[in-house]
Amino acid sequence: PNLFEVISLITSFILDSSLTFGNGFFDAKSFNVKFNFLPKDPPGWWLAKSSVLKPLSISLALDDELINEDTLIDTNPGWVEFEDYRTEDFRNYGILSVSEVIAKSSNVGTVKICSQMNKSRVISGIRSFGIGEYFSEMFLNHREGFLPGEQNISLRGLVSLCYGYGLQTTLLHIAKAYTGILNDGIEANL
């Protein structure tokens, strides 16, 4: 196959954060799916869309020069209160570089970075990656997802978008967005 060529595609509802799974865990029994959950595995060891959307959002702040590779983000004490809502990390990561915010998938770091951005920039930036857009006639059963408009989102909703909540997308959209990151800013046509 050629670079970025889609050979096979299976999408999953797991990329829809409007679905809830008890205490944040995917309830595999109700869907007849088997996972090997080991007691030592932390919550979120499987990849949810929130983990893959953070680099996209943080790249917007980097592009706008709100942060740079030397910026340090204080995530103490492991949670942040923003717009009357508490956002937590898996544990207190302390002071992180921007790359560590991404590597550790820090919700707190992401909120602190994205709270500096305005609504139109976040929404247009996420849309520029193709999230919420019609993809291609080639994939007839493919959903375009959902990305709220600027007028329909609060400041709390805005930072939630930055870590993948309040929107719906598909694996194909995320794969296409990452081709730009992996290909020096040039998105591939999948």
Side-chain angles (χ1 to χ4, degrees):
N2 295 322
L3 187 62
F4 304 122
E5 185 177 33
V6 176
I7 308 233
S8 177
L9 177 69
I10 298 173
T11 58
S12 170
F13 59 86
I14 199 72
L15 296 176
D16 181 350
S17 62
S18 68
L19 300 172
T20 58
F21 303 105
N23 292 327
F25 290 96
F26 176 68
D27 181 6
K29 287 184 218 163
S30 60
F31 296 99
N32 294 324
V33 177
K34 282 191 164 184
F35 288 103
N36 293 321
F37 278 78
L38 302 175
K40 68 180 181 350
D41 287 331
W45 66 269
W46 46 270
L47 188 63
K49 88 169 175 315
S50 59
S51 297
V52 297
L53 247 39
K54 288 173 190 161
L56 303 181
S57 302
I58 291 171
S59 73
L60 299 174
L62 286 164
D63 283 348
D64 291 349
E65 297 180 353
L66 297 173
I67 56 172
N68 62 51
E69 63 187 40
D70 298 320
T71 301
L72 296 177
I73 309 295
D74 187 357
T75 67
N76 285 302
W79 56 270
V80 64
E81 188 93 23
F82 183 77
E83 294 289 311
D84 298 323
Y85 186 83
R86 183 175 172 145
T87 300
E88 299 179 0
D89 280 336
F90 177 63
R91 66 177 188 84
N92 182 6
Y93 294 119
I95 297 175
L96 300 174
S97 68
V98 173
S99 61
E100 288 172 321
V101 168
I102 294 170
K104 295 185 182 302
S105 194
S106 172
N107 293 327
V108 174
T110 303
V111 167
K112 288 188 171 190
I113 291 169
C114 288
S115 64
Q116 301 175 55
M117 299 171 69
N118 67 49
K119 288 181 184 183
S120 62
R121 175 58 174 144
V122 171
I123 292 170
S124 66
I126 291 173
R127 192 173 304 283
S128 74
F129 285 111
I131 307 296
E133 295 289 311
Y134 178 74
F135 195 82
S136 167
E137 291 177 9
M138 183 175 165
F139 301 99
L140 295 177
N141 292 332
H142 190 264
R143 295 178 51 202
E144 68 275 2
F146 169 77
L147 184 61
E150 183 179 340
Q151 68 282 4
N152 299 325
I153 194 164
S154 66
L155 289 176
R156 177 64 222 170
L158 182 70
V159 296
S160 296
L161 276 180
C162 288
Y163 60 83
Y165 285 62
L167 60 90
Q168 296 174 351
T169 192
T170 66
L171 181 59
L172 195 57
H173 282 102
I174 291 172
K176 184 172 175 36
Y178 268 78
T179 63
I181 292 172
L182 300 172
N183 197 26
D184 296 323
I186 301 168
E187 266 188 11
N189 291 321
L190 301 180

